[in-house]
Amino acid sequence: MENPTPFGRTAVAMVTPFTADGELDPDGAQRLATRLVDEGGCDALVLSGTTGESPTTSDAEKETLLRAVAEAVGDRAWITAGVGTSDTRHTVELARAAERAGAHGLLVVTPYYSRPPQEAVAHHLRTVADATGLPVMLYDIPGRTGTALAADTLLRLAGHPRIAAVKDCGNDLLKSAKVLAATDLAYYAGSDEQILPLRALGGAGCVSTAGNVAPRAVRAVLDAHDAGDTAGAARRQLALIPLIEAVTGSGTPGTVAVKALLAHLGLPAGPVRGPLLDADAALTSRLVDALRTALDRTADAEARESAVPAGVPG
């Protein structure tokens, strides 16, 4: 499947829907994926990432989820499978299984817990990239793994023929800019507050958590920027801040927040798996208020622009 950017432009880090009793819900995953792509305007989905509760889903569940989503939307969206673990051999096995199951690309996080040095991290990532014919998106999220991808490591890995992109949750724009300036790696904002800043630096798009519940509002940031409306893009990014803060910046795990909102919207989600705990009524109410505020502000930004006569700066 060809794409003008290697992993799409507006990607969502999709939750993994479960049934009420905590079992995988492939039908729900298909319904959610179809909504995100056909109604939400997303051109890519990332499965079995952090938001997809990859640490608590089995290998068989990951494969079933991937096959279900690929069947539902794989001809209309780029499907990236998260395969990262702290074990190189296991990661290679997951990568090969994802390739067989129909993934278009792989998301590979740096090994966590063992905190290997940079040369070991690079060896791990090259080994996984060598294991299949799929393009690889490196996942730089030191806040969770304990190990950042250093700029020099990224510069070296950029020479691998299948290492094509970075999901950037490093919160280090200087490092990102250095690598963007020196390589052809496609950079994707993995932190929603960085969508516009990274795009302005030449990033390829986003892998959004908030996009699970507000996909069109997330896409609108990129649409406005790419149309040359930098002020409008800024208004749309700022409009999303209440939702972004509630979902990823308040100490509540993003999966917990997004699943609570999806349930409120009547969309497939289900419970989270332990050690996470589902949102209570008070937290859900705060999340719903944040979503409503963000969507109202996005609508206000759009209304303001539609009221400006052609040729008049907004």
Side-chain angles (χ1 to χ4, degrees), residues 70-87:
E71 178 183 358
V73 299
D75 59 341
R76 304 188 301 286
W78 184 274
I79 308 299
T80 299
V83 299
T85 75
S86 57
D87 176 351

Side-chain angles (χ1 to χ4, degrees), residues 92-134:
V92 166
E93 291 170 1
L94 287 174
R96 289 172 174 162
E99 184 176 39
R100 292 191 298 269
H104 301 130
L106 305 174
L107 175 69
V108 187
V109 73
T110 55
Y112 43 86
Y113 190 74
S114 56
R115 302 185 70 172
Q118 288 295 301
E119 187 53 42
V121 170
H123 184 268
H124 170 88
L125 295 171
R126 288 193 194 98
T127 299
V128 179
D130 286 339
T132 79
L134 297 179

Side-chain angles (χ1 to χ4, degrees), residues 106-184:
L106 305 174
L107 175 69
V108 187
V109 73
T110 55
Y112 43 86
Y113 190 74
S114 56
R115 302 185 70 172
Q118 288 295 301
E119 187 53 42
V121 170
H123 184 268
H124 170 88
L125 295 171
R126 288 193 194 98
T127 299
V128 179
D130 286 339
T132 79
L134 297 179
V136 169
M137 175 187 285
L138 306 178
Y139 189 4
D140 186 15
I141 184 166
R144 289 185 181 273
T145 65
T147 304
L149 274 168
D152 288 347
T153 303
L154 286 162
L155 293 175
R156 294 197 306 272
L157 290 171
H160 192 287
R162 281 182 296 283
I163 294 178
V166 177
K167 180 183 177 185
D168 185 8
C169 292
N171 297 316
D172 185 346
L173 279 177
L174 179 59
K175 180 177 76 172
S176 303
K178 179 178 178 179
V179 178
L180 274 165
T183 74
D184 292 326

Side-chain angles (χ1 to χ4, degrees), residues 50-74:
T50 305
T51 307
E53 297 180 80
S54 59
T56 53
T57 56
S58 68
D59 293 2
E61 287 176 322
K62 289 177 174 66
E63 182 173 345
T64 299
L65 173 70
L66 173 56
R67 289 186 183 278
V69 172
E71 178 183 358
V73 299

